[in-house]
Structure formats: C-alpha cells, structure tokens
Amino acid sequence: MPVTTRPSLVMARGAGSWLWDETGRRYLDFVQGWAVNALGHCPVEVRRALGEQGSRLLSPSPAYHNRPQLDLAEKLCALTGAHHATFCLSGAEANEVAVKLARKWGRLRRSGAWQILTTWGAFHGRTLATMAASGKPTFDALFPPSTPGFRRVAFGDLAAARGAVDDSVAAVMVEPVQGEGGVVVPPPGYLAGLRELCDRENLLLICDEVQTGCGRLGTFLGQSTERVSADVTTLGKGLGAGVPVSAVLANERASCLEPGDQGGTHAGNPLLASVALAVVTALGDPDLLAAVRQRGAEMRETLSSLARRFGGAQPRGRGLLWALVFDRPVAVELSAHALDAGLLVNPAQPNVVRFMPQLRTSPIEVELMAERLATAWARLD
Ligand SMILES: *Cc1c(COP(=O)(O)O)cnc(C)c1O
C-alpha cells in the first residue's frame, strides 16, 4: 500500500554510521532508522545477543517469566529509579499503555479523572489513541472520529498547562524535547514546572522518551537533563538499537495495573529483551554518554558555523538530537540534495532538517557530515 513516499533506491546493508544501497553506493547516515540505531548499524552487541538468545529460546509465550525480560526490567529500574516495568513492541504501544495506566489511576486515585493534557506539536505514535494524543493538526482529520480524552496545550507554556487543569484531568504527557515536531527544546524549567504542577494538583507526569531516552540527549533519560523524575516514562526507538522493543516504566505512586489489564503475544519476548538488555548495558557506560555530550557540542559548533556561512538558518538541539531551522520551507529540497551528496538527513518539518547520528559517531564523521551538507546547501536556489 502506498502509505508513504520513498526515493527509488533500495537499502541493502549497514555498518556503524554507514548505509549502502543495492547498487553499492554508500551514505553517511545521520537518520539511523529515525533515532533507532543508537549504536549504529548492526552493532556487535546486538548481533551477539540475537545469536545467543536466538539459539536458546525465542518465545516461551507471555504466560511465563523469561530471564532476559526479568534482567531487563531490573536493569531499567536500577538505571532510572522506576519501580516497575512492562514491555511492548513499539513506541505507540508503550504510550497506549501509559494512557491506560493514567486512566486507571485517575479512576482509582482522582475521582474518575480521565483526561490527559498533551501538547501541540507532540508526536506520540500512529495508533488511534496516540494520534489523538499527538499535537499534529493534520492527524485529526485523517480517521474520524478521534479518540476522546486528550486536551492539548501549547508546548513550553507552563501557564497554559496550569490553566487547562481541572477535575477531569488525570495526567500530563509530554516529550522532554519534541522530536518529530522539529527538535523543539522547551524553555529551561518547563519540565520541572510541570513536575511541580503535577505534584500540587495530584496528577501523573508521563514523559514520552521514545525518542529522547536511551542516551539520545546525553543522559540515559532526557528528563534528567532537567533534573526531573516522571511518574511514568516510555522508551522505544533506541532501546532495541534496530530491533522492535519498547518499555513502560512507572514509579510506586503511578504503578496500578493488575493481572488482566495489559498484555501482548510478543510482549517481553526474550529475543527482543536480550537485545534491549545488551543495548542498555552498553548505554550504562558513562564514557559513552560523555561522548554523546561532547559530540553534541561539536554538532552545535559545526551547524552554527554552516548557518553563519550560508545564512537563513539556526541550529537547535541537545545531545545528539539536532535540527537546522530555516526561515524558508527548504527541508525536503535540502535533504534530497544531501542524499545526492551521500548524506542521509531527515526533513522533520517543511523548514526543519533533523540530525540523529548513532551515539558512537566520531568527530571525523561530524566533519564529513558538515562537508556533505555544505555541498547540498550550496545547491539550494
Ligand atoms: C517515534 C515516536 C513514537 C512512536 O514510536 P513507534 O515505534 O513508531 O510506534 C512515539 N513517541 C515519540 C516521542 C516518538 O519519537
């Protein structure tokens, strides 16, 4: 089905920061499966876990415990301070679980409150409920009727969030930095302000860290860059480093799901859990996260200097999630020229080009990215 548009080339092979098409042409990949390949293409940790677990046990069914799932839950809770974890296959599915949890919590602990505050420009997934939770104006008209229970406010605006809270609201759901929305970094103190609001009004704070989590912003959770601890956190994308697995983490206050509330045939599958465990173990290395912050500073410097040279653009981002924001809608054209120059970048918005390199990208790759981007930029009309 023609569900999206794609260039005519066919991708065949990947290694580290590089992707090859079927003709053997090589691309420097600053999309990395949409911030999925946290450790680059086909990392040794993932290949080893797939091989070892793949020959031991693929699926005992979700009716039984399996060791990788237990170890992964323990590791994630130890890293984040959460008390409970459950697993799914996609970011959207993890966010659905967070929505279920908020609705149940509202029924039990907040006199039947069931609305969730979300933000304009947010992206929470493509299931019916997560489309309704997202703040993409075009989503509402696609498959009406839209799932009820979501109230949107301006992102980054604390007063708007405060003003939208009433007795029907159970939770606030937010990305620490809006990814698909175009790498929108909120003003300092925004997340802490939401935490305060949730504490004062007895609401759950849900952080959708599907894109910002797993080291992307230079700390294991993006919320830590603002010294905030959410009640519920969802992880996806980088968690499996190329393998589909997602997680929902909850603290003691929020965790209210009981047997029968949630499940899935492949949920907590040991093959996927063993990969995620290997990835999280690799990301637990403080040197790796320090390198993300260092590369992030280099990205800021590099993108700023290109913006000064060509004009009409501003960089924004954190860690290794970056964007160039143009004063004209040139993102699609620039990304196409970049592809011609052997560089993959993502037009996240008509005027925003997004960069999501693997977390182990090197200073040389950042320089090479800048050279190829300059070639593409020089071709813009
Ligand atoms: C990608 C993304 C999702 C959806 O994840 P899928 O795995 O595509 O379902 C949800 N939230 C955020 C913040 C994302 O970036």
Side-chain angles (χ1 to χ4, degrees):
M1 296 186 193
V3 295
T4 190
T5 51
R6 301 180 174 110
S8 59
L9 42 99
V10 179
M11 293 306 181
R13 188 164 67 85
S17 292
W18 298 90
L19 192 55
W20 285 263
D21 69 19
E22 276 185 343
T23 71
R25 195 158 177 242
R26 189 172 84 139
Y27 305 86
L28 178 61
D29 190 357
F30 269 51
V31 176
Q32 286 289 357
W34 248 298
V36 159
N37 305 318
L39 304 176
H41 287 282
C42 302
V44 62
E45 294 89 343
V46 172
R47 282 184 282 133
R48 196 184 297 134
L50 284 171
E52 286 175 6
Q53 190 60 43
S55 43
R56 188 177 302 129
L57 176 63
L58 287 173
S59 183
S61 101
Y64 307 105
H65 284 302
N66 70 73
R67 189 52 60 191
Q69 182 190 24
L70 292 167
D71 290 348
L72 177 61
E74 214 153 85
K75 184 113 203 161
L76 283 172
C77 288
L79 267 173
T80 64
H83 287 89
H84 287 128
T86 193
F87 302 105
C88 321
L89 299 179
S90 70
E93 203 188 348
N95 286 335
E96 287 266 347
V97 175
V99 168
K100 288 182 186 177
L101 201 147
R103 288 186 179 184
K104 178 159 188 188
W105 186 88
R107 190 160 61 175
L108 296 175
R109 311 271 156 78
R110 210 174 129 77
S111 325
W114 58 288
Q115 301 263 12
I116 300 175
L117 286 195
T118 63
T119 59
W120 287 109
F123 181 75
H124 297 302
R126 282 182 170 274
T127 59
L128 289 170
T130 55
M131 283 176 83
S134 297
K136 230 175 144 163
T138 53
F139 271 7
D140 292 336
L142 280 179
F143 310 107
S146 159
T147 306
F150 302 98
R151 191 179 283 177
R152 294 165 185 145
V153 295
F155 183 65
D157 184 343
L158 263 181
R162 285 193 196 107
V165 173
D166 60 24
D167 289 347
S168 70
V169 174
V172 178
M173 181 166 172
V174 73
E175 297 159 87
V177 170
Q178 286 187 339
E180 301 303 306
V183 191
V184 185
V185 182
Y190 176 61
L191 216 52
L194 289 180
R195 176 71 273 177
E196 235 177 77
L197 175 67
C198 289
D199 288 342
R200 195 172 60 238
E201 300 284 346
N202 189 31
L203 309 171
L204 290 185
L205 179 62
I206 304 172
C207 276
D208 176 351
E209 295 240 25
V210 170
Q211 187 155 154
T212 54
C214 297
R216 179 58 53 185
L217 300 189
T219 47
F220 184 73
L221 294 182
Q223 59 195 262
S224 311
T225 61
E226 296 285 329
R227 293 190 171 73
V228 162
S229 180
D231 299 297
V232 180
T233 298
T234 55
L235 298 174
K237 294 201 164 92
L239 181 63
V243 161
V245 57
S246 62
V248 186
L249 310 175
N251 66 14
E252 219 150 24
R253 171 174 180 251
S255 194
C256 62
L257 295 184
E258 296 164 298
D261 284 350
Q262 170 55 25
T265 305
H266 302 296
N269 173 303
L271 182 71
L272 310 180
S274 71
V275 169
L277 183 62
V279 172
V280 169
T281 303
L283 296 177
D285 174 3
D287 290 345
L288 173 55
L289 294 177
V292 170
R293 296 190 292 272
Q294 180 57 38
R295 283 305 84 68
E298 290 160 19
M299 283 292 290
R300 179 189 295 279
E301 199 39 58
T302 302
L303 294 177
S304 300
S305 107
L306 281 174
R308 277 194 301 274
R309 177 168 149 204
F310 290 98
Q314 283 290 333
R316 70 183 176 207
R318 182 174 291 171
L320 280 174
L321 183 59
W322 281 91
L324 274 171
V325 184
F326 290 83
D327 54 17
R328 306 182 288 146
V330 294
V332 169
E333 191 192 343
L334 181 62
S335 301
H337 290 328
L339 181 99
D340 287 345
L343 170 68
L344 304 181
V345 292
N346 162 248
Q349 295 287 323
N351 66 325
V352 178
V353 174
R354 183 169 46 158
F355 306 81
M356 302 161 277
Q358 64 141 323
L359 302 184
R360 294 193 285 213
T361 196
S362 68
I364 290 167
E365 287 165 355
V366 172
E367 272 175 42
L368 195 55
M369 177 280 292
E371 275 172 33
R372 292 182 179 193
L373 188 66
T375 305
W377 205 330
R379 283 179 61 198
L380 279 186
D381 297 327

